[in-house]
Amino acid sequence: MKKLFYILIFASCAFFLTDTTSAATPDEVCRKIVRPPEVTVTVSYGRLKYDTSKNNRSLTRMHIRQYGGNVPAGRQVHGLATYDFNTRISLKIIKNTSNKGISCVYPSNVKLNIEMQNPVIYLSKSLQPGSCLYEIAMRHEQTHQQINIEALEYYLPIIQQRFLEAVKSNPYMSSSSDINLTLAKEKLNEKYLAAINPILEEMQNEINTEQARLDSIENYDYEAALCR
């Protein structure tokens, strides 16, 4: 259940010009000297692990911490699926200063890393391997993990598009004075994140909806009936 995608979205070069117009504005100067960056998006899924060391009570507490709410009275949590979702943007930026003192800062390389790491399926140690309850619980938790993967694969093209648009819409920073590189990185990073965060939130809401449907009382009753 380990996958790795590496998608090259945009890579090209533009000609490099120096400041030849004394009356040119910082924006005009920088527009001439910037080079379009190489933009990549990587997506990785960690190796799925299984844990059968916890009892039902521990799994119930973990379930409440993970998803909130309460487990219905009389119900026992036989399993749990967890994972860590992270997004990271890394930038390599270039600063050029013209002979007129105009500063231009622009990225040469922009990377977005999307990670679904540390996926774990917990099954209660009270379940007997090979039993009906064990197999049903295993299938249930595997479905939880599959929902996460399918949701990310569905939203990935949208995330890519929004991210590339954000990079193209913010090609450089210009100033008639010096530009702090650390602050420039932070501002560019904020703009990129602002473009993709709404999509990531929408994806997470979709995941939560599907996970809640799988954990509905009706579905629990259906799965329990399979072992009677």
Side-chain angles (χ1 to χ4, degrees), residues 70-133:
N70 298 309
V71 176
R75 304 276 178 174
Q76 286 188 325
V77 174
H78 294 295
L80 184 66
T82 64
Y83 69 98
D84 297 322
F85 182 76
N86 300 298
T87 57
R88 294 183 294 108
I89 295 176
S90 57
L91 301 171
K92 290 184 179 179
I93 59 177
I94 296 174
K95 181 168 73 172
N96 280 299
T97 303
S98 75
N99 54 11
K100 301 297 182 180
I102 293 175
S103 293
C104 304
V105 171
Y106 55 94
S108 62
N109 187 286
V110 184
K111 292 183 179 180
L112 170 63
N113 300 294
I114 304 174
E115 301 173 335
M116 279 192 170
Q117 296 298 319
N118 305 315
V120 180
I121 286 179
Y122 295 92
L123 294 177
S124 172
K125 62 183 180 180
S126 66
L127 294 177
Q128 182 66 33
S131 67
C132 180
L133 283 177

Side-chain angles (χ1 to χ4, degrees), residues 143-154:
T143 302
H144 274 302
Q145 296 289 7
Q146 191 63 32
I147 287 172
N148 301 330
I149 293 174
E150 292 179 357
L152 179 53
E153 291 179 348
Y154 174 83

Side-chain angles (χ1 to χ4, degrees), residues 18-85:
T18 57
D19 178 17
T20 58
T21 306
S22 59
T25 66
D27 188 69
E28 290 170 338
V29 172
C30 293
R31 192 181 303 120
K32 293 179 180 179
I33 68 174
V34 297
R35 296 167 179 256
E38 177 182 294
V39 183
T40 57
V41 174
T42 60
V43 181
S44 62
Y45 304 96
R47 185 180 298 277
L48 180 62
K49 297 180 181 179
Y50 296 88
D51 187 316
T52 58
S53 66
K54 303 184 184 303
N55 58 29
N56 294 75
R57 183 176 297 178
S58 295
L59 292 178
T60 299
R61 289 197 297 266
M62 291 174 62
H63 186 281
I64 293 173
R65 286 197 302 268
Q66 182 86 10
Y67 300 109
N70 298 309
V71 176
R75 304 276 178 174
Q76 286 188 325
V77 174
H78 294 295
L80 184 66
T82 64
Y83 69 98
D84 297 322
F85 182 76

